[in-house]
């Protein structure tokens, strides 16, 4: 498999190359990060992020279809890449500051490329859509591992500091997953109190779900 660090004579919209790079991240993460370009325009990693996030959204929709009996609107799929790219820009900023504190000399562009690389796993973890909790855990754990490898191979901060970052990210991700699980549990309880079972909710139209969600949020705001 050809290393990704080659002169950028290709188009950033080359889908075959994007697929090859995603596979490279999955199969040989250490080698990928070791040979990854350290700078340059953000167009290529941005397109990589957008394409992989859209691919993940499509996989999610196709797997959810037999479960819910509905396909999401095309518009809702098309906004996913923009939302994910915006989130990746912010996460890259936070990680750049953490890497700098740990001794990295790399730029924001490098940090963003590291974050973009973690998107390679999204279409695979989307296959776990029927098991949402497991999907979140696998996605979070795999992403953190890739960032740990990037800390070693790209930022050269040394194993002890990389392990410190790994522990910090694991703690933050664990707290986030716990908060999300708690919130989802509260939402399900409120739906049940409204007389809406999970099966009934899944079979509702998008408009009906929005109305149920509005009533649930109102009840949650009224909680002491």
């Amino acid at each position: 498999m050809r290393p990704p660090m080659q002169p950028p004579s290709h188009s950033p919209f080359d889908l075959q190359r994007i697929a090859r790079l995603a596979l490279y991240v999955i199969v040989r993460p250490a080698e990928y990060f070791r040979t990854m370009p350290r700078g340059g325009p953000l167009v290529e990693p941005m397109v990589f992020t957008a394409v992989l996030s859209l691919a993940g959204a499509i996989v999610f929709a196709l797997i959810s279809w037999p479960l819910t009996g509905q396909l999401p609107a095309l518009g809702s799929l098309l906004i996913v890449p923009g939302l994910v790219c915006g989130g990746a820009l912010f996460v890259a900023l936070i990680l750049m500051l953490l890497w700098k504190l740990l001794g990295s000399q790399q730029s924001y562009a490098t940090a963003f490329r590291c974050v973009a690389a973690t998107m390679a796993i999204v279409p695979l973890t989307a296959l776990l859509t029927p098991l949402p909790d497991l999907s979140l855990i696998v996605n979070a754990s795999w992403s953190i591992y890739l960032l740990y490898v990037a800390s070693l191979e790209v930022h050269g901060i040394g194993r002890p500091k990389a392990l410190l970052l790994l522990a910090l990210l694991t703690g933050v991700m664990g707290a986030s997953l716990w908060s999300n699980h708690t919130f989802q549990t509260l939402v399900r309880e409120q739906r049940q109190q409204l007389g809406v079972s999970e099966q009934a909710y899944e079979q509702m139209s998008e408009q009906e779900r929005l109305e149920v969600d509005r009533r649930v949020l109102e009840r949650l705001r009224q909680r002491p």
Side-chain angles (χ1 to χ4, degrees), residues 25-154:
V25 174
I26 292 168
V27 176
R28 299 179 182 174
E31 189 172 332
Y32 174 86
F33 285 115
R34 193 179 304 124
T35 59
M36 184 190 77
R38 301 299 191 256
L42 296 184
V43 175
E44 185 175 12
M46 189 75 77
V47 172
F48 184 88
T49 299
V51 169
L52 270 297
S53 62
L54 180 59
I58 292 173
V59 172
F60 174 86
L62 292 177
I63 293 179
S64 299
W65 185 14
L67 303 176
T68 63
Q70 296 181 9
L71 279 173
L74 179 61
S76 63
L77 287 178
L78 293 179
I79 66 172
V80 169
L83 294 174
V84 174
C85 286
L89 289 168
F90 177 74
V91 171
L93 176 61
I94 299 301
L95 285 172
M96 183 197 70
L97 295 176
L98 290 174
W99 275 317
K100 289 285 188 184
L101 288 174
L102 295 173
S104 173
Q105 301 300 314
Q106 300 295 336
S107 66
Y108 174 79
T110 306
F112 182 77
R113 286 176 178 273
C114 293
V115 172
T118 65
M119 295 304 301
I121 67 175
V122 169
L124 287 181
T125 56
L127 295 173
L128 298 173
T129 293
L131 303 169
D133 291 338
L134 179 61
S135 178
L136 283 173
I137 292 172
V138 171
N139 191 290
S141 302
W142 201 344
S143 296
I144 291 173
Y145 168 72
L146 290 175
L147 293 174
Y148 167 74
V149 176
S151 299
L152 296 173
E153 302 295 343
V154 177

Side-chain angles (χ1 to χ4, degrees), residues 190-208:
Q190 293 300 318
R191 285 184 193 142
Q192 290 174 358
Q193 292 179 19
L194 290 171
V196 179
S197 66
E198 287 302 300
Q199 183 178 4
Y201 181 81
E202 294 295 340
Q203 294 174 348
M204 288 180 174
S205 67
E206 187 172 351
Q207 189 63 36
E208 290 172 330

Side-chain angles (χ1 to χ4, degrees), residues 206-218:
E206 187 172 351
Q207 189 63 36
E208 290 172 330
R209 290 185 186 181
L210 288 174
E211 176 59 23
V212 171
D213 292 342
R214 184 189 65 78
R215 294 173 62 188
V216 166
L217 289 176
E218 286 181 356

